[in-house]
Amino acid sequence: MPTFRHRLKPRFAVFGGVLLLLLLVLALRLWSMQVLSGPVYAAQADQNRVREVTTVAARGRILDRNGRELVTNRPTHVVLAPSQVAEDEEMMGRLSNLLKVSVPEIRERLLSRKEAALSLRVIAVDVPLQTVAYLSEHASEFPGVEVDTRAIREYPNKTLASHVLGYTGEISREELAKPDFAGYDPNDIVGKAGAERSFENALQGDRGRRVMEVDAMGRSQRIISEVDPVPGRDIRLTIDSRVQRVAEKALKDAMQDAKREKFYRAKAGAIVALDVKSGEVLAMASLPTYDPSVFLGGISEQQWRSLTSTSSEYPLTNRAMMAQYPPASTFKAFTGLAGLTYGVTGQWTMHDCEGTWTGMGTQWKKRCWNRTGHGMVSFMDGIEESCDTVFYEIGHSFYKGGDEKLQSFIRSFGYGSMTGIDLPGEVDGRVPDKAWKKAWNEDYPEYQGWNPGDTVNMAIGQGDVLATPLQVATTFGGIANNGKVMRPHVLRQILGTDGKPVLTVKPEVEFAPKVSRSNLDIMEQALLSVTRTGTGRSAFNGFRVPIAGKTGTAEVANKDDYAWFVGYGPAAKPRYVVAVVVEQGGGGGAVAAPAARQVLAALLGEKIERVTATDPSR
């Protein structure tokens, strides 16, 4: 009979086998971890110990044509935190109190999906030194939270030229997906509007890289290696900050003049000043304006609503190139040139203005601004006194011709097309014709036909014709520049690290209408009479340099009249052209022309003075 010991022996054998098998498995696992997966685990350990971060490069400065700083940079402190802080309500509350940023905003920034999972998120910008000191002294209370120094935009002239300069902001996910932003970091600050956006590639520098050793709490212990960022290039604009300042003040003065004339709804407008030979934009003003510094560190929803509301008149809109207006009587210069070109009228062709024009039939009578009539007036008088009857007759003649020569001629100067300026957001205006009207009234067949009144209204710059102040300036620049319409631009040079130009923008002809020198001379003579003895004489009384110009007063449904003036000088040797519009400002000669006078004075070295003018046409 087997003893108890003999009965246990098989069980010991099985136990020993299992134990041996377990030891073998453990040995294989240890060999796998140390030999096969060793490099992987070593790398992971390094990642826990080492953190690589990119460092922001300062954007290039924006200078005016004379090298004066329009936008520069200043160092500031930013606070960063890991995304995990969003799970710690208590810490977010303390950060909110300390940084004066709401908890929802902090959470939103922490949970941003734009950044890589392990990247620190910027939760506050422009943090005061006192706050930075507190965070440093109480670092243990804010694990993972860091303070960094970065360069942010500074605007030494406050709101000056803000529509030209634009503003910056954090790159969006939509922008990151675009080829233009290939290689950008999710934390990059990029240009969102104006020159900041147009010349982003030059202004944006190259990020640096910093490899740091961190402790178990993620706090930096030492820098292992570092590559410095490369700052962006400085750019020089065509803007003359001195003239820009005069233009912005002149526009504000025009608003006050409008209110003095009892046009109390005048709150918005624009001024454009160009070099007619090069297309350089010397000043571009738009009111109301905005302070680009509100975008630093992220704009609040309340601020954004304020900038994009009807009650604020949309301050972000650059009215010089993003707003379309009926060009009113400024358009008569081109209707007149078309009439001269096609023999519809002549320099001394006489027209009978009785105050009421019935050329389309008595049931379709139209009125001249001078209700009592100008009497017998020549084409030249028609420009000088802005007689509507003269241009009703020219427009009607073109209509009766059965073709669209008037539209074609006007388009050849650039109306209805974008000027090609190197700023974002430009709109194209409109020169109406049969095809446009049919398409515009697609759902209203009864309104699709092109009628005599359509051409007649267009001839005086009313009806459906629309233009931007920039278009009006460039097209008049074409008259001044012997028929060559130059492409407007605001970039003058991109500078290298040594401050010398690495790129200089060359003038380009954008439109070259077929118009004779003799007809341009006739028009220039007529435009010169406008400021000497015509509707602009009051505004330019005593101005020493001869100016060729045209007033305009646009009628807009349910609104007060819009005031226009465009002029260039010196008339004998044109160099500069200035266009002014004041929304709901009243008469062009009384409100817009005095503003243009101030800007032309700044450009031509004349005494800059604010004059009070009257407009006989209104």
Side-chain angles (χ1 to χ4, degrees):
M1 181 176 183
T3 63
F4 178 72
R5 184 177 179 183
H6 285 120
R7 288 200 303 272
L8 288 179
K9 192 173 181 179
R11 296 181 184 180
F12 278 120
V14 171
F15 178 74
V18 170
L19 186 62
L20 186 62
L21 183 62
L22 286 174
L23 289 173
L24 183 61
V25 169
L26 288 173
L28 285 172
R29 179 61 179 159
L30 186 61
W31 176 80
S32 170
M33 292 175 67
Q34 290 188 334
V35 178
L36 295 182
S37 303
V40 175
Y41 290 122
Q44 290 179 352
D46 266 351
Q47 286 180 359
N48 291 333
R49 182 181 65 86
V50 175
R51 175 182 296 158
E52 179 176 317
V53 297
T54 57
T55 50
V56 179
R59 288 176 72 82
R61 297 176 302 160
I62 301 179
L63 313 172
D64 85 342
R65 64 186 298 111
N66 298 308
R68 303 185 188 102
E69 288 183 337
L70 296 173
V71 185
T72 182
N73 302 298
R74 63 177 171 83
T76 189
H77 295 293
V78 299
V79 173
L80 308 99
S83 60
Q84 295 86 336
V85 171
E87 301 167 6
D88 188 338
E89 293 289 341
E90 192 271 334
M91 190 194 294
M92 282 200 296
R94 282 189 283 122
L95 286 170
S96 175
N97 290 332
L98 186 64
L99 301 172
K100 310 303 180 193
V101 180
S102 70
V103 169
E105 283 185 70
I106 292 178
R107 182 183 290 109
E108 183 181 348
R109 294 170 188 180
L110 289 170
L111 297 180
S112 169
R113 295 183 179 179
K114 291 192 310 177
E115 292 86 351
L118 297 177
S119 294
L120 297 178
R121 272 69 166 171
V122 176
I123 58 173
V125 177
D126 237 4
V127 180
L129 269 177
Q130 187 178 3
T131 305
V132 171
Y134 183 90
L135 280 171
S136 178
E137 293 167 2
H138 300 79
S140 60
E141 299 174 22
F142 301 95
V145 175
E146 295 184 6
V147 177
D148 195 9
T149 302
R150 294 186 178 178
I152 64 171
R153 283 316 214 190
E154 185 171 45
Y155 305 92
N157 304 295
K158 308 299 180 188
T159 61
L160 186 76
S162 59
H163 290 95
V164 175
L165 302 175
Y167 58 90
T168 58
E170 199 171 84
I171 192 170
S172 66
R173 273 187 287 179
E174 292 75 17
E175 287 169 331
L176 271 173
K178 294 179 179 177
D180 289 352
F181 295 97
Y184 274 62
D185 188 279
N187 289 315
D188 277 334
I189 298 297
V190 299
K192 296 287 186 178
E196 293 274 20
R197 176 69 186 92
S198 286
F199 314 119
E200 166 66 24
N201 288 343
L203 294 168
Q204 184 72 240
D206 297 329
R207 277 179 166 265
R209 295 201 173 274
R210 182 185 299 161
V211 180
M212 301 180 299
E213 184 176 298
V214 296
D215 63 14
M217 300 298 291
R219 292 173 298 203
S220 174
Q221 300 300 299
R222 68 184 180 92
I223 296 174
I224 298 172
S225 63
E226 188 169 27
V227 176
D228 291 333
V230 178
R233 294 181 185 277
D234 291 346
I235 62 171
R236 182 172 289 172
L237 300 184
T238 58
I239 296 293
D240 184 324
S241 58
R242 183 185 65 86
V243 179
Q244 178 73 25
R245 204 178 299 279
V246 171
E248 294 188 7
K249 180 181 181 301
L251 197 51
K252 291 176 183 173
D253 290 345
M255 303 290 176
Q256 293 177 359
D257 290 344
K259 291 180 173 63
R260 189 198 65 229
E261 298 279 323
K262 299 183 179 179
F263 290 95
Y264 300 113
R265 294 191 285 183
K267 299 176 182 175
I271 292 180
V272 181
L274 306 174
D275 184 317
V276 301
K277 299 292 183 186
S278 65
E280 291 183 340
V281 180
L282 298 155
M284 179 180 278
S286 180
L287 283 180
T289 189
Y290 68 96
D291 183 354
S293 66
V294 301
F295 291 91
L296 298 176
I299 188 170
S300 69
E301 285 189 18
Q302 183 180 359
Q303 288 172 317
W304 180 252
R305 280 198 299 272
S306 171
L307 291 172
T308 55
S309 68
T310 303
S311 60
S312 67
E313 300 283 348
Y314 304 102
L316 295 180
T317 300
N318 182 356
R319 285 173 161 75
M321 49 175 271
M322 300 168 76
Q324 304 174 100
Y325 305 97
S329 294
T330 64
F331 203 67
K332 290 173 181 172
F334 299 91
T335 300
L337 277 173
L340 293 170
T341 299
Y342 289 105
V344 170
T345 188
Q347 183 176 10
W348 303 113
T349 298
M350 300 303 290
H351 301 261
D352 186 7
C353 173
E354 297 177 347
T356 300
W357 181 71
T358 58
M360 297 184 295
T362 55
Q363 70 274 36
W364 304 109
K365 61 185 176 185
K366 298 187 73 65
R367 295 185 182 279
C368 178
W369 67 263
N370 185 346
R371 296 292 190 263
T372 60
H374 289 94
M376 292 301 293
V377 290
S378 68
F379 169 79
M380 300 294 280
D381 296 330
I383 290 285
E384 179 180 322
E385 292 299 326
S386 201
C387 175
D388 292 325
T389 296
V390 172
F391 294 90
Y392 290 150
E393 293 187 346
I394 294 173
H396 197 217
S397 295
F398 273 109
Y399 174 81
K400 290 187 293 185
D403 48 34
E404 296 184 336
K405 287 180 179 176
L406 178 59
Q407 287 95 327
S408 297
F409 181 85
I410 285 168
R411 287 194 186 105
S412 72
F413 273 85
Y415 279 106
S417 302
M418 289 190 280
T419 65
I421 190 172
D422 49 356
L423 287 175
E426 183 186 16
V427 296
D428 57 3
R430 181 170 65 212
V431 178
D433 58 15
K434 295 175 185 175
W436 169 83
K437 191 175 181 184
K438 186 175 182 180
W440 182 260
N441 294 296
E442 182 181 6
D443 298 327
Y444 304 95
E446 66 273 27
Y447 297 124
Q448 291 182 0
W450 186 261
N451 301 311
D454 293 320
T455 310
V456 167
N457 283 334
M458 181 174 61
I460 63 166
Q462 292 281 173
D464 295 307
V465 63
L466 294 172
T468 67
L470 181 62
Q471 280 180 326
V472 172
T474 55
T475 51
F476 267 79
I479 295 176
N481 193 32
N482 199 24
K484 293 179 181 177
V485 180
M486 304 306 291
R487 184 178 193 174
H489 61 97
V490 300
L491 179 64
R492 195 172 197 213
Q493 292 171 330
I494 295 176
L495 307 180
T497 53
D498 58 358
K500 295 180 179 177
V502 295
L503 182 148
T504 298
V505 176
K506 296 179 179 177
E508 290 183 48
V509 176
E510 188 69 10
F511 299 97
K514 292 181 179 177
V515 57
S516 69
R517 182 65 254 178
S518 59
N519 285 337
L520 288 172
D521 288 342
I522 292 171
M523 183 54 63
E524 185 168 294
Q525 189 179 338
L527 294 174
L528 188 57
S529 69
V530 169
T531 61
R532 285 181 167 171
T533 53
T535 55
R537 64 181 181 274
S538 178
F540 284 89
N541 184 30
F543 199 75
R544 296 189 309 172
V545 180
I547 300 297
K550 186 71 191 77
T551 59
T553 304
E555 296 178 358
V556 180
N558 302 318
K559 294 187 176 181
D560 290 335
D561 291 344
Y562 285 29
W564 273 102
F565 181 82
V566 55
Y568 59 83
K573 195 174 182 181
R575 178 75 188 278
Y576 305 111
V577 61
V578 175
V580 180
V581 65
V582 179
E583 295 180 15
Q584 305 194 76
V591 173
R597 173 181 173 141
Q598 291 188 56
V599 181
L600 284 163
L603 290 165
L604 296 167
E606 294 295 302
K607 181 181 180 182
I608 303 169
E609 56 183 343
R610 182 180 178 183
V611 300
T612 299
T614 57
D615 185 346
S617 66
R618 288 294 186 276

